[in-house]
Structures are given as C-alpha cells and as structure tokens.
Amino acid sequence: GAVVSQHPSWVICKSGTSVKIECRSLDFQATTMFWYRQFPKQSLMLMATSNEGSKATYEQGVEKDKFLINHASLTLSTLTVTSAHPEDSSFYICSARVVFTDTQYFGPGTRLTVL
Amino acid sequence: AQRVTQPEKLLSVFKGAPVELKCNYSYSGSPELFWYVQYSRQRLQLLLRHISRESIKGFTADLNKGETSFHLKKPFAQEEDSAMYYCALRRGTDKLIFGTGTRLQVFP
C-alpha cells in the first residue's frame, strides 16, 4: 500500500528556535497534503491543507506566520514551526491524498518538544 | 457547525464479546463518514467508510441519518482489535474532522 513518511520522528528544541518537519509520499504522488496536530489524549485537529504549487489553506485559529507550510513537489510538503515555544509541543501528523482519488494516507507523526 | 462526537474514551470488553463504538455527528450537508484505527505504535489507517458498506476485519458501521450516528460494531471482539478508534466526517472534498477517539481494550 501507499506509504507516507515523516522526518524527523521526534525532535527536541530550545524555545525561540525554528523546526522543520518533512512529509513525503514514498510511492505515489500527492497533490494535496494535510497537517494535523494532536495533543495528548485528544483528537487530531486539522491545521492546514497544503496544495502543490500554491499557498496552503489554514484552518481558523492557526497562525500562518507561525506554521509555515511549503508544498514544493508532488511528493513533499514541509511544516516549519517558527520561533517555537513550549505550548507548540505536540504531535504533528501529516496525511497525503493520492492524486485523482479521495484516499488519504497518514504519516507516523512527529513529536515536537520545545524546552 | 460540523462536529463528531465519540462519547466513550475507553471501552473494555472480554474476547468474544460484542463491541459497539459510538459515533454521532452534526453536519448540515450530506455526510461522508469514516472509521480510522490506530494500533499501538502504528500510524492511523482507514478501517472503513460508509459509502463502501463493507465489513473489514469483522467490523461494520451503518450510517443512520435519522439519529445522525455511525456506530462501529463487531459481534465477537478479538484481542488484536485492541486499538484507538477514531470516527471522522469529511467536510467538502478533502477535510476530515475527527472525533476524540475511543480506546478499545479486549481482554483475553
């Protein structure tokens, strides 16, 4: 089946630094990728929809200048958490929609801890 | 507003017992509903979708528009069914709205 990878799987950083998380579709092309955030014992909350070659669409309440999304190719989207603070610590999950279908595959997630 | 509610955070049963994981939704349009499952230390994966009307791993779910529900059922639970289950509603063409999830524990 289709595989979505995320890198890194976990990261610890100091407050004020920026962190980049990559989401890759390994064996299929994805015109659309999604970024979710999951707090402990809570549900996945959609942060933004990333479309290849265009600007991401952010959900209400998500700061686009804080969470920079780039979708430069059909197999890669990146999420950069800028000037990270402890409250940004969370589990970030991406999913990718197979082109010409409505099937989404999820990545394994990236755990971000900001000290 | 679109919303998915899973009232139970934890559901514990013994092997062989029937299982029903509840899901209710609110959505003004025609809903498309899904169940996703996350086994321990694995990624989220699609279990089934209402438009397929199929049974996966013995699980079924029927969309009840009158009760706005999409409960997940299995007549005889197995230990390997232990996992986190999320009900999700698709909004528009792509966006998924997830419920808070129900952890299913199946004891031997």
Side-chain angles (χ1 to χ4, degrees), chain B residues 59-73:
Chain B
F59 285 97
T60 60
D62 291 319
L63 177 62
N64 186 323
K65 291 187 179 180
E67 296 181 358
T68 59
S69 69
F70 187 56
H71 302 328
L72 183 68
K73 300 176 184 178

Side-chain angles (χ1 to χ4, degrees), chain B residues 34-82:
Chain B
F34 304 81
W35 276 99
Y36 281 83
V37 61
Q38 187 170 30
Y39 299 102
S40 180
R41 295 191 178 86
Q42 294 188 30
R43 66 191 67 198
L44 201 64
Q45 56 185 285
L46 178 65
L47 180 62
L48 53 80
R49 54 201 301 177
H50 90 271
I51 59 173
S52 300
R53 302 184 66 82
E54 57 193 344
S55 173
I56 304 294
K57 299 184 179 182
F59 285 97
T60 60
D62 291 319
L63 177 62
N64 186 323
K65 291 187 179 180
E67 296 181 358
T68 59
S69 69
F70 187 56
H71 302 328
L72 183 68
K73 300 176 184 178
K74 184 169 182 175
F76 307 103
Q78 302 298 316
E79 290 179 69
E80 55 265 30
D81 295 328
S82 296

